[in-house]
Amino acid sequence: MRRVLIANRGEIALRIVRACKELGLETVAVYSDADSESRHVQLCDMSLRLGPPAAKHSYLDKTLVIQAAKATGADAIHPGYGFLSEDADFAERCAAEGLVFVGPAPDAIRQMGDKIAAKKLAESIGVPLVPGGNIEPGADLDKLARTLPYPVLLKAAAGGGGRGMRVVEQAADFAASLMQASNEAQEAFGDGTVYWETYIGNARHIEVQVLSDAHGNHVHLGERDCSLQRRHQKLLEESPSPMLTSDLRNDLCGAAVRIVRTLDYRGAGTIEFLYDADRRSFHFIEMNTRIQVEHPVTEAVHGIDLVREQLRIAMGLPIDERVRHAKTAGWSIECRINAEDPDHGFMPSPGRITRLVLPGGPGVRVDTHCEAGSLVSPYYDSMIAKLIVWDVDREHARRRMLRALEEFVIEGLTTTIPFHIRLLRSDAFAKSAYNTRWIEKAAQQELAA
Ligand code: MV4
């Protein structure tokens, strides 16, 4: 592996360029017309235009991306997150073209992309699941509806990340909700298969970072608590999770490693669990076969570089010795700074950044592709920066995050910074006394401007 094409944009493209450079790898940027001036394009050794801003005609066009790799002599493609990162067909086409896909084998992507298959695998090795079941085509829906433990949650087998989920409160609503969920899933993923789970109302979303190499090493790098999400967009993540005892943490991380070992996995991955705060139990829900947006909090508490490890693994090298034996130390929090208006339902607020002053000082990291003068495009997600802090414990990290948010100056568009400041100051956050439902309600009440 000598030359890596980065099939992404924004902060993660820049993140990958940096990791490649530190490993002595050459870099190729691909970009849409909205990103031709982007920082990662400037820093790459070579760059190539893909097409117009719409992702369908640029970052999501598999043929164009593979052609770009061929044309520039790249021998590997890093997909980042989103776009083509969990597209098994794309990974397969890379292999067929002799290109290294920086990620797991197509079969692993495909199996974990089917959320029902993923649960079956977890169940087969004794990992606890949320009670639930499949809904076979032609099943007697009235009969099924009468037996379910309400409230239930309908989920799309091809979905994930909360897209296409629907809560059903009572048997009378089941058939209609199923129809809607299935139609939505068909529309969004081309697969209308839906399954049901008991809806856990008092839950925390806790995920485990794993790394697997081609030499049979499978390690976890602790957990992240991602319970603060609005419409399934994460707002703030932290590591470790304030909810876990060391016994629970060992069980959770052990279960995650057993899953990737069984899969004969290779690369970076994330195993998602729901923690039921009433029963103090955890349940596997799904696996993501890519690097995630929130990976820096794991890097901060372990002193490691996950993207570097992804590249090492793709090169056939073993996971670095120090990474294999890394221990969690201190506390890390990440806030996603979005060009959105929290006072108007988090409406996207694209536009030009006229002034940008980044926070700094000890324990502060900012991952952003933006600078003063940058145009935030309406074509892509509205994340403009990730602010990550590390400190010795949660309360110090909370205060450090507040001071960093207060230093941060972004002018020209509306951002989520003021909302994050209210969130970090709230009692619920300080005590970690919230669940996955809290933020949605609080955004209209105690966290409203
Ligand atoms: C759940 C759940 C409660 N019960 N499943 C959301 C993202 C996806 N990966 C799984 N998610 C959830 N699955 C059961 N059976 C709660 C979530 C969830 C959530 C739900 C509503 C609002 C915000 C949420 C944040 C994290 C997780």
Side-chain angles (χ1 to χ4, degrees), residues 130-131 152-153 155 160-163 165 167 196-201 203-205 226-232 234 272 274 285-286 288 435-440:
V130 185
V152 301
L153 192 55
K155 295 185 174 184
R163 288 175 307 164
M165 290 189 352
V167 182
W196 69 269
E197 284 180 353
T198 303
Y199 177 64
I200 302 178
R204 298 278 285 226
H205 177 128
C226 309
S227 304
L228 294 168
Q229 309 184 13
R230 200 188 152 275
R231 306 230 170 127
H232 304 297
K234 293 169 184 160
E272 290 187 13
L274 279 183
I285 49 173
E286 57 189 76
N288 302 318
N435 57 37
T436 51
R437 289 178 310 176
W438 175 73
I439 196 100
E440 213 89 36

Side-chain angles (χ1 to χ4, degrees), residues 106-385:
D107 286 348
I109 301 176
R110 201 167 276 128
Q111 190 177 359
M112 294 299 108
D114 177 349
K115 305 301 162 186
I116 295 175
K119 288 184 70 172
K120 196 181 273 178
L121 178 122
E123 188 176 35
S124 75
I125 54 170
V127 174
L129 307 180
V130 185
N134 303 342
I135 306 168
E136 309 297 342
D140 183 341
L141 294 184
D142 287 332
K143 193 169 149 207
L144 177 62
R146 281 195 298 276
T147 64
L148 299 181
Y150 294 92
V152 301
L153 192 55
L154 297 174
K155 295 185 174 184
R163 288 175 307 164
M165 290 189 352
R166 198 170 229 94
V167 182
V168 188
E169 298 287 350
Q170 50 179 16
D173 304 334
F174 181 76
S177 294
L178 176 63
M179 184 81 83
Q180 288 170 343
S182 182
N183 287 343
E184 263 175 39
Q186 182 67 46
E187 188 75 25
F189 317 113
D191 177 355
T193 310
V194 169
Y195 61 102
W196 69 269
E197 284 180 353
T198 303
Y199 177 64
I200 302 178
N202 191 11
R204 298 278 285 226
H205 177 128
I206 300 178
E207 58 187 34
V208 177
Q209 177 70 53
V210 289
L211 279 178
S212 304
D213 64 23
H215 302 268
N217 297 303
H218 299 276
V219 299
H220 73 78
L221 290 149
E223 79 284 3
R224 299 183 284 260
D225 196 315
C226 309
S227 304
L228 294 168
Q229 309 184 13
R230 200 188 152 275
R231 306 230 170 127
H232 304 297
Q233 294 300 310
K234 293 169 184 160
L235 296 171
L236 178 153
E237 306 95 348
E238 61 186 309
S239 184
S241 167
M243 305 304 286
L244 295 185
T245 61
S246 68
D247 278 358
L248 260 175
R249 175 169 296 113
N250 286 338
D251 290 351
L252 196 76
C253 295
V257 169
R258 279 189 355 255
I259 289 172
V260 287
R261 199 184 295 285
T262 306
L263 262 176
D264 197 16
Y265 193 72
R266 193 176 151 179
T270 299
I271 317 285
E272 290 187 13
F273 297 92
L274 279 183
Y275 174 72
D276 183 333
D278 296 332
R279 287 167 195 79
R280 300 207 182 113
S281 56
F282 67 83
H283 310 267
F284 169 79
I285 49 173
E286 57 189 76
M287 175 172 184
N288 302 318
T289 56
R290 59 169 192 276
I291 191 80
Q292 300 211 168
V293 176
E294 59 271 27
H295 76 275
V297 295
T298 299
E299 295 184 323
V301 294
H302 288 88
I304 61 165
D305 183 329
L306 284 167
V307 179
R308 177 187 297 170
E309 292 312 312
Q310 282 191 296
L311 291 163
R312 283 178 56 91
I313 293 164
M315 288 189 269
L317 297 170
I319 302 165
D320 187 285
E321 188 79 27
R322 283 153 301 189
V323 173
R324 260 154 60 201
H325 299 113
K327 295 265 177 293
T328 305
W331 208 280
S332 181
I333 303 174
E334 170 179 280
C335 287
R336 296 192 190 188
I337 312 300
N338 293 344
E340 291 172 359
D341 185 352
D343 303 334
H344 293 92
F346 291 80
M347 209 194 330
S349 68
R352 194 175 295 280
I353 297 174
T354 53
R355 180 160 179 251
L356 184 67
V357 184
L358 301 182
V364 174
R365 166 177 172 183
V366 184
D367 278 17
T368 184
H369 59 294
C370 294
E371 52 198 88
S374 291
L375 197 58
V376 177
S377 166
Y379 283 95
Y380 313 109
D381 72 50
S382 54
M383 195 172 74
I384 45 181

Side-chain angles (χ1 to χ4, degrees), residues 381-409:
D381 72 50
S382 54
M383 195 172 74
I384 45 181
K386 306 190 301 204
L387 173 56
I388 305 107
V389 303
W390 181 92
D391 210 327
V392 291
D393 61 21
R394 189 171 190 270
E395 179 56 14
H396 283 88
R398 186 184 73 85
R399 291 187 190 199
R400 181 164 276 174
M401 179 60 89
L402 268 171
R403 115 27 217 162
L405 285 164
E406 284 160 357
E407 275 180 40
F408 214 141
V409 181

